Amino acid sequence: MMDTQDPVLSHTLCLVFAVSIGSGYHWVKVFLLHSANLLRSSEAHDLPSLSNSTCSVTSMAIPHHSQETSYLLPPNPEDWEKQGIPDFVYGQKDLFVSKKIQWPRNSPSAADTLPLSRFDSALCSAWRQRAELGLFRYRLEDLQTRILPGSVGFVAQLNIERGIQRRRPQNIRSVRQEFDPEQFNFNKIRPGEVLFRMQREPNGPAAPKQEDEVLVVINVSPLERGHVLLVPAPAHGLPQRLLPGVLRVGLEAVLLSGQPGFRVGFNSLGGLASVNHLHLHGYYLAHPLPVEGAPSTPLDPKGCVHLLQGLPAPGFLFYTSGPGPDLEALISRVCRATDYLSDCEIAHNLFVTRGAPPGQASSTSDLSGIRVILWARKSSFGIKESGAFNVALCELAGHLPVKTSQDFSSLTEAAAVALIQDCLLPQTQADEVQAALVALMAQEEL
């Protein structure tokens, strides 16, 4: 092991070695970037910023704190499994509830220049190294991006490789389908695909009990930079049905990030989840999305749940200003809602983002809390190749990964709205679901 305390060696180290990929050996250039090991500050102005793309595959040196855990793989692939899974240990002080987390005023797409938190740096340095090692199904280059003209503000991106290279979805027949160990699951991934384990500080103030370990794993068919999966207790073989523990970690991951564009989401079975093994998605997108400030109206007297309006897909909005009792109450409400939908065989998608409090429409500069949006939708089983994009968590939120160049150049807001609305429940059924969820929230008062 090299002594990285030397100021020269504390920058990017480059090693070239042979690594087995598939059936042969390829020479790869591995940029051993020290994980962003930063002081645990709760103020954004105390954090270093990077002018490069946050999780780009480009070589980049990140400040190193000598006592931090390294989330990088050792040079020899044979040592990857022996190394074990490092813990990303965090506490209340690492959760960013400051209003300083917001999009740059003049150019929201300049979010890559924003400061990185300790979580961002750990995730991005490890993710970037795995990309250099060739552990993804394709090399994710900078994606062509366009904001579709119109009132919604759809963010369309051309991602041809994902449409071609991603793993075929499993044969799903029910929202409540049981886990099948014979199918692909996250116990079968390569050791190098695991970045770290999320670990709350033990006995910390107001630290909720984290029942099971949650692994942060690369999505080998990434939508965008830093695309990871949050996988709770893989060995337990949990089916794709939302549970409070993993939702809590997903919410905390958004609060751990200093980037307004780090979002987390969940697809149910029938809601385009392609693997029936419990997981959430997390990824960076350097653009505001319409769900961050869209208006809403309360559905119950205490405002536990709102109806998100002004968008092609109305959704149920849950909101919290940060960690603590309100966050725990939100987790309980959301999971009761998703349990109801699963029990009724209703597919659903969920999206977590920084955003404005419920009420009137707000600008993208107001990211003072966490918005959780839940959509009930038509079930969709099997492979769906028609249309410019498939409708799941990110599409409902306004991020449209498009599969072909022709569709990318010709896609209009009207066409996007039509594709999304075709996946929504009929109005009669949507009204029944809304009434049932409002009744569930009312039971909380009893």
Side-chain angles (χ1 to χ4, degrees):
M1 191 80 182
M2 288 191 176
D3 179 8
T4 56
Q5 302 305 306
D6 185 283
V8 176
L9 293 179
S10 66
H11 291 76
T12 304
L13 303 178
C14 292
L15 297 180
V16 180
F17 58 89
V19 58
S20 178
I21 302 176
S23 59
Y25 285 89
H26 297 268
W27 290 95
V28 297
K29 190 174 186 180
V30 181
F31 294 92
L32 294 183
L33 303 168
H34 293 292
S35 57
N37 311 305
L38 309 173
L39 296 175
R40 297 183 182 181
S41 166
S42 62
E43 292 299 322
H45 64 263
D46 289 333
L47 301 173
S49 62
L50 299 175
S51 57
N52 303 59
S53 185
T54 308
C55 282
S56 70
V57 182
T58 312
S59 167
M60 185 190 312
I62 296 178
H64 176 69
H65 189 267
S66 61
Q67 296 181 349
E68 266 303 338
T69 302
S70 173
Y71 305 101
L72 303 181
L73 294 171
N76 188 346
E78 295 179 359
D79 295 330
W80 292 355
E81 191 165 8
K82 300 175 189 176
Q83 174 178 268
I85 300 171
D87 288 331
F88 180 84
V89 181
Y90 65 97
Q92 197 82 359
K93 61 183 175 296
D94 295 300
L95 304 178
F96 284 80
V97 293
S98 171
K99 291 186 179 181
K100 294 181 180 179
I101 307 288
Q102 56 184 243
W103 295 104
R105 292 185 178 181
N106 296 330
S107 176
S109 61
D112 291 332
T113 64
L114 293 174
L116 297 185
S117 70
R118 196 171 61 90
F119 171 79
D120 295 320
S121 299
L123 190 157
C124 290
S125 60
W127 193 92
R128 193 167 49 240
Q129 188 213 28
R130 271 57 166 193
E132 288 294 341
L133 287 168
L135 294 181
F136 293 86
R137 285 175 172 253
Y138 49 88
R139 185 179 179 89
L140 187 74
E141 305 291 351
D142 289 340
L143 299 175
Q144 290 185 56
T145 304
R146 56 187 285 252
I147 311 301
L148 299 189
S151 60
V152 177
F154 285 120
V155 179
Q157 288 190 310
L158 178 60
N159 194 336
I160 297 173
E161 291 298 321
R162 179 173 166 83
I164 297 172
Q165 302 288 349
R166 67 175 302 190
R167 183 181 288 107
R168 289 175 62 86
Q170 293 175 0
N171 184 20
I172 305 297
R173 300 178 183 274
S174 167
V175 176
R176 297 180 293 174
Q177 189 162 311
E178 293 299 317
F179 174 80
D180 181 357
E182 299 303 314
Q183 296 288 328
F184 170 79
N185 62 77
F186 300 114
N187 294 310
K188 299 182 179 184
I189 63 175
R190 296 166 291 183
E193 294 178 28
V194 180
L195 303 185
F196 49 80
R197 180 189 297 107
M198 298 290 285
Q199 186 66 54
R200 262 283 202 169
E201 287 180 346
N203 304 319
K209 181 180 179 182
Q210 189 169 313
E211 299 172 357
D212 298 311
E213 66 177 11
V214 175
L215 302 184
V216 178
V217 177
I218 62 170
N219 187 325
V220 295
S221 302
L223 279 169
E224 247 288 9
R225 56 196 174 86
H227 190 173
V228 294
L229 306 174
L230 306 179
V231 183
H236 290 186
L238 301 170
Q240 183 69 349
R241 183 164 176 164
L242 192 63
L243 293 176
V246 70
L247 176 58
R248 180 181 296 109
V249 174
L251 290 163
E252 289 179 338
V254 174
L255 288 169
L256 284 166
S257 176
Q259 301 289 307
F262 182 76
R263 282 83 170 217
V264 164
F266 171 83
N267 295 321
S268 79
L269 300 180
L272 266 64
S274 59
V275 176
N276 186 16
H277 194 183
L278 183 54
H279 63 284
L280 304 185
H281 291 263
Y283 72 104
Y284 295 89
L285 177 69
H287 294 275
L289 291 174
V291 293
E292 294 173 11
S296 64
T297 55
L299 294 177
D300 65 302
K302 289 206 168 184
C304 295
V305 60
H306 287 67
L307 184 65
L308 194 69
Q309 298 177 322
L311 296 175
F316 299 106
L317 171 63
F318 302 82
Y319 177 84
T320 179
S321 57
D326 286 349
L327 181 67
E328 294 303 308
L330 179 147
I331 292 168
S332 175
R333 291 165 187 154
V334 171
C335 287
R336 287 166 64 200
T338 57
D339 281 348
Y340 165 80
L341 294 174
S342 296
D343 290 342
C344 294
E345 279 288 337
I346 299 173
H348 47 281
N349 305 96
L350 181 142
F351 195 78
V352 182
T353 183
R354 290 186 183 271
Q360 298 297 316
S362 177
S363 70
T364 57
S365 63
D366 187 355
L367 303 176
S368 54
I370 298 294
R371 284 186 164 204
V372 179
I373 304 102
L374 174 65
W375 292 275
R377 47 89 54 80
K378 294 176 185 174
S379 293
S380 176
F381 299 119
I383 301 173
K384 306 296 181 185
E385 295 299 341
S386 60
F389 54 84
N390 299 324
V391 179
L393 66 93
C394 57
E395 291 82 4
L396 289 165
H399 173 211
L400 312 178
V402 181
K403 295 175 283 189
T404 70
S405 298
Q406 180 177 352
D407 285 334
F408 178 74
S409 59
S410 63
L411 184 62
T412 64
E413 180 179 274
V417 168
L419 277 172
I420 290 172
Q421 292 187 338
D422 187 53
C423 295
L424 303 183
L425 295 176
Q427 191 59 51
T428 300
Q429 188 179 10
D431 291 341
E432 292 172 355
V433 169
Q434 178 175 313
L437 294 189
V438 171
L440 273 178
M441 299 306 116
Q443 290 176 14
E444 187 178 271
E445 309 300 323
L446 301 178

